[in-house]
Amino acid sequence: MKTTTRVAVIGGGVVGCSVLYHLTKLGWSDVMLLERSDLTSGSTWHAAGGFHTLNGDTNMAALQGYTIKLYRELEALTGLSCGLHHVGGLTLADNQDRFDMILAERAKHRFMGLETEVIGPDEIKKRAPITNINGIVGALFDPLDGHLDPSGTTHAYAKAARMGGASIETHCMVRETNQRPDGSWDVVTDQGTIHAEHVVNAGGLWAREVGAMAGVYLPLHPMEHQYLVTDDLPEIYERDSEHPHVLDPGGESYLRQEGRGLCIGFYEQPCRPWAVNGTSWDFGAELLPDDLDKIEQSIAFAYDRFPILGTAGVKRVIHGPFTFAPDGNPLVGPVPGLRNYWSACGVMAGFSQGGGVGLMLAQWMIEGETEQNTFSLDIARYGKWISPGYTLPKVIEFYQKRFSVSYPNEERPAARPNRTTPMYDIFSRMGAVWGQQFGLEVVNYFARDGEPDYETPSFRRSDAFAATGREVRGVREGVGINEVQNFGKYRVAGDHARAWLDRIMAGRVPQPGRVSLTPMLSPKGRLIGDFTISCLSETEYQLTASYGAQAFHMRWFDQHQEDGVSVENISDQRTGFQIAGPKARAVLEACTGTDLSDMKFLDVRHMRVGMTDCIVQRLSYTGDLGYEIYCDPMAQRQLWATLWAAGEPLGMVPFGMRAMMSLRLDRFFGSWLREFSQDYTPAETGLDRFISFKKNVDFIGREAAEAERETGPSRKLASFEVAAEDADVQGYEPIWLDGAVRGFCTSGGYSHHAGKSIAIGFVPSDRLAEGLEAEIEILGQMRPARLITTPLFDPEGERMRG
């Protein structure tokens, strides 16, 4: 066994072997994999082996599509069979909400180039004749769905990796991972110590234990999962072709042909977590005891949906553990706070996602960034606040909701409330209906007496519609107040702070007392942040950005740390409120006893508001006259009392994120992970107007941004007025021009101020023109849309800037 390597991958399941293969595919041959037993000896060997492209997250769906298409390439490369069965798959809808979901998914697939189709009950019966179609509204058919041989596929990855120069050591138990001062690692095994530049944790069922060796907590947990294989059935083996997969969300089951019989698995409600206190190193190629009582209700439902099962004998029961993250997506990427330590864990759908995960991680390691937005699987989507006490109930919730309808406005309740601000009880008494972001409770809207205190999940306009409209009108006609806790906030200080910001940020760094807006770019010119920079002095700055991107952004800052500058995450050390609307200045003047007519748009200053020392800056995401007021969390309740006492006589209303997202549409303001993400560039999104090409600094991403400036982007964001009915754009709906899909929506909603449905999305740059006629597909309906360029509120920015 060699004693040095560029990369040591720990774990020999399908994900570890995929990572190893993709590292060699992209050019790194000095890589090795360490497996404590045999390849596939974790959860890989007993997996059902199904694969599909359906995923509510379009980036995950794209990775799944890549994975599925990769298998033929692996077979051709290695000469090994993956045991592929491309039989197609049906996802059944037994009520209107489920049907709305598959209509929304089908719309997304159009711009992704996936050839899925929505079919009715009669067609379902033709394709899957064993299905009882009573109560079925329709189904989504995906021709790429299928299944494979888990062992054969894993060994194909392994052989392909070896062909690329990788080495694989089985029966090699990792005991310790110890980091050297230079950032490299000593991986201590029972066969000796290996010095590795990088370590990849692909430990699967043992990922928590492997992470603990490096002092890392990975938010994942194994769950028991059970599926059955029937005896031979003539209705199956006498068919001319293999039976397609059938996913029955209503029955929490998936079904496919297995040899001459059927395989059916369940995501049952009385589910059971496994190895709560840690996975034993002695566990391996064995199964858990059968527990048919746990899936009794699911089996009964399946017998009704697929009556053939009632006469089928059970050949075997497979009951084994799989790992899940709290939201069901993988945990991939560089682990924040550690150098050269990478995660490839929590991949519960390894044969749908493993190839894409391997590709993304290899690109990340070798090229420094991935070709597409990876935030939905980035381990940095969770922060230091997460704990096993949070992870376990969220994983159970995800398992139970695995086949539930995924609504765009759904707020799932497990492990909540978790993190709250000092305003939680005050806002709750005022009727707050809460959402959450990055573990923090955030007000979505305020319900009045007689209104529901829970927003019913829906693809259509929800029961929050009236309350949201009321809050929007309160802001536009008077003054509204909203917390600023859910901004990520960073203190940048030191003699070299300005120079460092000039290199990290693409935009202008403001002078003392001023604020600027700037994109932050990757080396390839992709958006990795949209920031507000507030210059408090020549040596101290406050940055604000998305609250949910804290770990993501701090990892980037840490990777680019320099002497003479300190960067501190103060997201939870600095809180406060924003006030917005035509009476906002009057409220602030009443609280400060100061004439603020000289405080210009994008000014920032220290100010005493009542008894509270604050940082106040003049800007607002509402697009209205507004101020952001920051204070110490210990003073937040006093600051609230001061602002509310001054504002209540002027009709001040509290407002939440539902109103905020409606207000921003009036000015066509983009939003992080909607209009702005790693998928897009500044020129595509319009953020190039904030890039300072005049500054004499080689800022990160400058070369790529200048190249795009010369050639121009092929697509650009545009805003549309949509002739919607009871459903507005949520995101990723296709935009049709001249009878063809030519773009897609990034977000949208209802402008309560203008009384119009608005969509924002990408269209070809050469088609941008006021009044462009288009159609946007919303829940299967083609809705007329018209491109608009004049903001719906304060088009000249007079109120915002005046």
Side-chain angles (χ1 to χ4, degrees):
M1 181 176 74
K2 63 182 184 179
T3 58
T4 62
T5 187
R6 193 168 197 174
V7 182
V9 179
I10 303 173
V14 64
V15 175
C17 291
S18 172
V19 170
L20 194 72
Y21 161 65
H22 281 94
L23 287 171
T24 65
K25 184 178 182 180
L26 270 61
W28 282 11
S29 59
D30 181 19
V31 295
M32 68 187 304
L33 183 145
L34 307 173
E35 165 55 44
R36 68 186 240 298
S37 182
D38 295 306
L39 298 183
T40 79
S41 62
S43 56
T44 295
W45 78 269
H46 60 73
F51 55 79
H52 55 87
T53 58
L54 182 64
N55 191 298
D57 184 290
T58 54
N59 283 296
M60 288 305 304
L63 291 182
Q64 290 175 193
Y66 166 81
T67 300
I68 293 168
K69 294 174 183 176
L70 176 65
Y71 292 134
R72 294 294 185 198
E73 180 182 322
L74 277 178
E75 289 184 327
L77 178 65
T78 65
L80 298 179
S81 172
C82 294
L84 291 176
H85 296 256
H86 277 290
V87 297
L90 299 166
T91 300
L92 305 179
D94 60 355
N95 58 44
Q96 188 58 49
D97 278 358
R98 292 192 200 281
F99 194 65
D100 282 349
M101 185 178 77
I102 67 173
L103 290 173
E105 290 305 306
R106 172 63 186 115
K108 294 176 186 177
H109 295 165
R110 288 193 198 278
F111 83 83
M112 294 174 66
L114 298 174
E115 299 299 325
T116 57
E117 61 178 309
V118 176
I119 61 176
D122 291 343
E123 184 64 23
I124 294 169
K125 195 66 177 177
K126 290 178 183 177
R127 299 189 188 212
I130 66 171
T131 307
N132 175 5
I133 60 173
N134 288 342
I136 296 296
V137 181
L140 183 73
F141 177 73
D142 186 345
L144 285 180
D145 278 15
H147 56 277
L148 46 65
D149 170 24
S151 178
T153 300
T154 304
H155 282 279
Y157 275 124
K159 182 176 180 180
R162 287 191 182 101
M163 292 169 66
S167 61
I168 296 176
E169 299 293 338
T170 58
H171 300 280
C172 183
M173 176 78 174
V174 174
R175 303 289 191 188
E176 301 174 23
T177 56
N178 302 312
Q179 191 160 41
R180 295 185 178 185
D182 66 357
S184 63
W185 292 85
D186 286 326
V187 182
V188 181
T189 79
D190 59 3
Q191 304 298 318
T193 298
I194 301 155
H195 180 217
E197 182 181 348
H198 299 270
V199 169
V200 177
N201 182 345
L205 293 173
W206 297 268
R208 294 173 296 172
E209 287 69 32
V210 172
M213 295 177 188
V216 173
Y217 171 66
L218 297 172
L220 52 83
H221 199 93
M223 296 291 293
E224 297 180 3
H225 183 68
Q226 204 161 192
Y227 65 91
L228 317 176
V229 178
T230 74
D231 289 331
D232 294 355
L233 294 165
E235 295 90 340
I236 297 300
Y237 65 73
E238 291 179 356
R239 284 173 52 87
D240 293 335
S241 60
E242 191 169 352
H243 197 279
H245 287 206
V246 183
L247 180 67
D248 181 21
E252 303 158 348
S253 72
Y254 57 88
L255 175 143
R256 67 168 176 83
Q257 184 170 336
E258 172 71 12
R260 291 160 61 88
L262 292 170
C263 164
I264 183 166
F266 306 97
Y267 282 85
E268 69 284 356
Q269 293 303 300
C271 58
R272 186 175 299 126
W274 182 77
V276 173
N277 296 317
T279 304
S280 169
W281 292 110
D282 295 330
F283 185 82
E286 62 252 41
L287 293 171
L288 307 178
D290 298 351
D291 188 358
L292 298 182
D293 289 344
K294 186 177 61 167
I295 57 174
E296 181 179 7
Q297 292 181 339
S298 298
I299 291 174
F301 196 102
Y303 278 21
D304 181 63
R305 179 67 68 214
F306 309 105
I308 189 177
L309 294 173
T311 61
V314 175
K315 182 183 297 183
R316 64 182 182 274
V317 178
I318 291 82
H319 191 200
F322 292 89
T323 57
F324 298 79
D327 61 2
N329 277 353
L331 300 171
V332 180
V335 174
L338 283 182
R339 290 173 62 190
N340 299 339
Y341 192 93
W342 304 77
S343 175
C345 307
V347 190
M348 62 95 183
F351 294 98
S352 291
Q353 300 171 347
V357 165
L359 175 65
M360 291 300 101
L361 192 66
Q363 289 180 344
W364 221 328
M365 296 178 74
I366 296 172
E367 300 172 11
E369 59 183 287
T370 58
E371 67 184 70
Q372 69 178 66
N373 179 14
T374 53
F375 194 81
S376 59
L377 53 79
D378 191 337
I379 190 171
R381 70 187 186 275
Y382 296 108
K384 294 180 180 179
W385 53 268
I386 201 165
S387 68
Y390 175 91
T391 298
L392 180 57
K394 293 305 287 187
V395 166
I396 292 172
E397 179 184 59
F398 172 79
Y399 188 97
Q400 292 174 325
K401 297 281 190 179
R402 174 77 172 88
F403 286 158
S404 297
V405 177
S406 181
Y407 297 96
N409 67 328
E410 185 175 17
E411 297 284 355
R412 293 182 173 178
R416 292 178 56 199
N418 180 26
R419 305 173 74 239
T420 62
T421 75
M423 291 301 299
Y424 185 77
D425 61 327
I426 294 175
F427 281 161
S428 292
R429 287 194 295 270
M430 297 178 75
V433 179
W434 297 93
Q436 72 84 34
Q437 183 186 24
F438 205 61
L440 175 73
E441 293 296 312
V442 178
V443 179
N444 279 340
Y445 66 95
F446 291 85
R448 289 183 176 174
D449 291 344
E451 294 179 338
D453 59 359
Y454 170 75
E455 183 181 6
T456 305
S458 176
F459 286 92
R460 302 170 191 273
R461 291 174 188 161
S462 76
D463 43 18
F465 189 79
T468 301
R470 180 173 64 240
E471 293 171 18
V472 166
R473 289 187 292 275
V475 172
R476 290 287 185 243
E477 296 170 7
V479 60
I481 186 167
N482 170 272
E483 273 193 288
V484 293
Q485 173 65 27
N486 60 322
F487 289 165
K489 308 169 210 75
Y490 312 89
R491 181 179 182 268
V492 179
D495 292 341
H496 296 167
R498 175 176 291 274
W500 184 80
L501 284 170
D502 254 333
R503 186 175 70 84
I504 293 294
M505 301 295 177
R508 180 179 55 83
V509 180
Q511 294 302 309
R514 292 290 287 167
V515 175
S516 68
L517 308 178
T518 174
M520 186 166 72
L521 307 182
S522 74
K524 294 182 180 179
R526 298 279 171 173
L527 290 170
I528 55 174
D530 62 316
F531 280 81
T532 299
I533 305 177
S534 306
C535 182
L536 306 179
S537 74
E538 270 297 334
T539 57
E540 183 182 4
Y541 300 81
Q542 175 178 281
L543 312 182
T544 54
S546 169
Y547 188 81
Q550 287 174 57
F552 175 80
H553 285 146
M554 277 303 300
R555 181 178 63 197
W556 185 257
F557 296 152
D558 288 344
Q559 288 170 350
H560 294 85
Q561 188 67 52
E562 293 179 358
D563 293 337
V565 59
S566 67
V567 184
E568 181 185 3
N569 183 356
I570 58 170
S571 298
D572 297 326
Q573 299 169 33
R574 195 168 285 174
T575 187
F577 304 94
Q578 69 162 315
I579 56 175
K583 299 179 182 178
R585 182 183 288 115
V587 170
L588 192 55
E589 287 178 336
C591 295
T592 60
T594 304
D595 179 2
L596 296 175
S597 59
D598 67 333
M599 189 174 186
K600 302 187 297 295
F601 181 62
L602 297 182
D603 272 358
V604 59
R605 60 181 67 167
H606 288 279
M607 192 178 298
R608 181 162 293 169
V609 183
M611 296 190 296
T612 309
D613 290 326
C614 299
I615 296 170
V616 180
Q617 53 194 36
R618 189 181 153 190
L619 73 163
S620 174
Y621 191 52
T622 66
D624 214 314
L625 169 65
Y627 303 85
E628 293 175 356
I629 308 167
Y630 296 92
C631 69
D632 186 296
M634 294 293 286
Q636 189 184 17
R637 291 169 74 102
Q638 174 57 42
L639 178 60
W640 163 261
T642 299
L643 292 169
W644 188 249
E648 198 170 18
L650 298 177
M652 176 180 276
V653 298
F655 68 100
M657 289 306 297
R658 295 284 186 260
M660 179 77 84
M661 298 310 286
S662 175
L663 289 160
R664 61 107 185 179
L665 290 175
D666 298 339
R667 297 279 306 170
F668 310 149
F669 288 169
S671 175
W672 180 247
L673 293 184
R674 293 179 176 89
E675 284 68 44
F676 311 138
S677 80
Q678 295 163 279
D679 281 325
Y680 314 131
T681 67
E684 290 176 333
T685 59
L687 287 185
D688 56 336
R689 68 187 184 277
F690 297 116
I691 293 180
S692 179
F693 288 106
K694 294 182 179 179
K695 67 180 182 180
N696 188 27
V697 178
D698 187 20
F699 58 81
I700 297 173
R702 177 165 194 151
E703 183 178 352
E706 287 183 333
E708 188 176 41
R709 187 187 188 195
E710 291 294 321
T711 60
S714 61
R715 63 184 182 183
K716 285 189 175 182
L717 280 178
S719 298
F720 291 87
E721 179 182 333
V722 187
E725 291 183 346
D726 64 340
D728 303 299
V729 159
Q730 300 292 338
Y732 297 110
E733 293 85 351
I735 299 173
W736 295 72
L737 300 176
D738 306 323
V741 176
R742 299 296 307 280
F744 64 94
C745 297
T746 51
S747 72
Y750 190 78
S751 165
H752 288 271
H753 167 73
K756 296 177 179 180
S757 183
I758 302 299
I760 303 176
F762 284 104
V763 293
S765 299
D766 59 6
R767 299 301 302 273
L768 283 176
E770 177 76 31
L772 173 69
E773 299 291 337
E775 289 183 302
I776 297 177
E777 184 178 349
I778 303 176
L779 300 181
Q781 299 289 319
M782 303 296 284
R783 309 308 308 170
R786 182 176 61 86
L787 192 151
I788 54 176
T789 57
T790 302
L792 306 171
F793 166 76
D794 193 21
E796 302 301 323
E798 295 175 354
R799 200 148 97 183
M800 182 173 68
R801 295 183 173 88

